Every structure is written in structure tokens, then in C-alpha cells.
Amino acid sequence: MKKYLLILLTVTLVSFNSFSQELPIFSQKINNGLMYNPSQAGLHSGAVDLSYQRQWSGLDRSINNLYAGVQNHFAQGRVGVSANVFREKFNLLNSTFLSGAVAYHLPFGNNSGISMGVSAEYGNVALDLTNTYVTLENDPLINNFPGYNHIDFGFGFTLSLQQLQIGASTVRFTNFLSSEATQEQDFFPAKFTGFAAYNLLFADEASWLEP
């Protein structure tokens, strides 16, 4: 495996509602790729990832999230698959997302190729009133919150031209097709992402490095 220093040139993330349930952003770039761009599934190698984050741990209801993912490639690296689980607790909301992706990687030779992938996602958002003291029992935000279950799809591509990579994807794209805004869309907004990256090649070909 060649040794690279990856320099991220641009990342674009467009959200259609600033109050919506956002997709997570992880410190490990490979996890971000799987969550946002299904063409990344099995692109480089197989992997099993597990991460946990907790913020404001001194509060009774701190923010915490858990991510688990697995990916691998088959058919001499041409077919990649991945599966991901993300769970977040934020204040009174519990959010769970299950997603899977399948990608096809078509090599051109000379470390170049194109990858295309599709994904499916199931999302659930529910209220958690455990250990909660409700002062206003008729609060409509609590009593009228129905909870949501949402199934959606995404697709994306990654183009590799030796040391240059560019890609684009959309997730939850069925919300693009909806002509009427709903509260459910606030929790499951459509996303469009794009990226460009350039790899600086080093003399040592035993490994590669990402910042």
C-alpha cells in the first residue's frame, strides 16, 4: 500500500433546515465517507469501526452518541458493502439510524477508477422522558410529539485520477422530491455533499497516512 498524505481541499455540505437532525461528523474521515457517500463502501479495504462520544458529562442529560460500522470488498475489490449504526441521545430526543450501502468500483489502471454506490437508511426519532420531571403536563411539544420512522435512500460517486479524488453524493434524496414541507423533514433533511482531495506521494510504499 502506498504512503500518502491526504490534503482535503474542499468539503461542501448543504442543509435545507438548520434546526434539523444532522448527520454526524466524525474525527475519522473514513467514517464520514461511509455516512455521506455510499460509493466509499469498500473502496480501500475492509474495516470495523466503533466510536463513542459524550459531551457536557456533568449534566444530567448530556449529549452522547455511539457509532458502529463495518465494510469490506469482494470480487477482487470491485464490489464493496458497508453497514452502519448511529445512535444519539440529545436532551429528550433519542435518534437511531441504520444504514447500508453497496458500491461498484471500476478501475481504469494506473491508480485511477470510478466508484458508484447506493445506500438505504432507516431512521427513528422518539422522546425519552425517563427521569424527567415535567412541570407542564399539557405541554403540546411533549404530548403531541408523535415520534418518527423514516426510510430513505442515497447515491454517490467517487472519481480517482491517480493522486486526485473528487466525489459527490446525496442522502435522503426523496425529500428533494417533496413539494410540501413537513415536520418529519425537519428531523430527516436531505443532504448534498461534495469533496476534492489530493494525495502527496512519499518514497516509502509500505503504508499511507491521513491527517
Side-chain angles (χ1 to χ4, degrees), residues 42-191:
L43 178 59
H44 301 292
S45 62
V48 176
D49 303 290
L50 180 66
S51 66
Y52 175 80
Q53 183 183 43
R54 183 173 183 178
Q55 298 174 292
W56 306 334
S57 57
L59 300 180
D60 292 337
R61 285 187 170 271
S62 59
I63 301 174
N64 64 82
N65 57 61
L66 174 69
Y67 169 84
V70 60
Q71 63 170 318
N72 207 346
H73 55 214
F74 306 93
Q76 299 179 336
R78 294 205 172 195
V79 178
V81 296
S82 70
N84 306 283
V85 178
F86 177 75
R87 182 171 176 82
E88 181 182 56
K89 292 186 177 182
F90 176 74
N91 205 350
L92 300 180
L93 291 179
N94 280 353
S95 302
T96 303
F97 299 92
L98 309 175
S99 62
V102 178
Y104 184 74
H105 310 296
L106 179 63
F108 298 155
N110 198 21
N111 295 324
S112 300
I114 188 169
S115 301
M116 297 161 286
V118 294
S119 63
E121 178 192 67
Y122 165 77
N124 171 267
V125 177
L127 281 180
D128 179 14
L129 300 180
T130 305
N131 299 323
T132 300
Y133 177 69
V134 180
T135 58
L136 183 60
E137 296 183 357
N138 295 323
D139 188 341
L141 294 178
I142 295 178
N143 294 332
N144 297 334
F145 187 82
Y148 294 103
N149 294 284
H150 186 80
I151 296 176
D152 217 318
F153 305 93
F155 57 90
F157 79 92
T158 298
L159 177 64
S160 302
L161 299 173
Q162 296 184 352
Q163 294 163 250
L164 175 66
Q165 281 193 350
I166 58 175
S169 64
T170 179
V171 293
R172 303 171 185 163
F173 78 91
T174 60
N175 284 337
F176 284 118
L177 308 178
S178 177
S179 59
E180 182 178 350
T182 64
Q183 188 177 15
E184 182 175 345
Q185 292 178 356
D186 292 342
F187 290 95
F188 305 99
K191 300 286 183 181

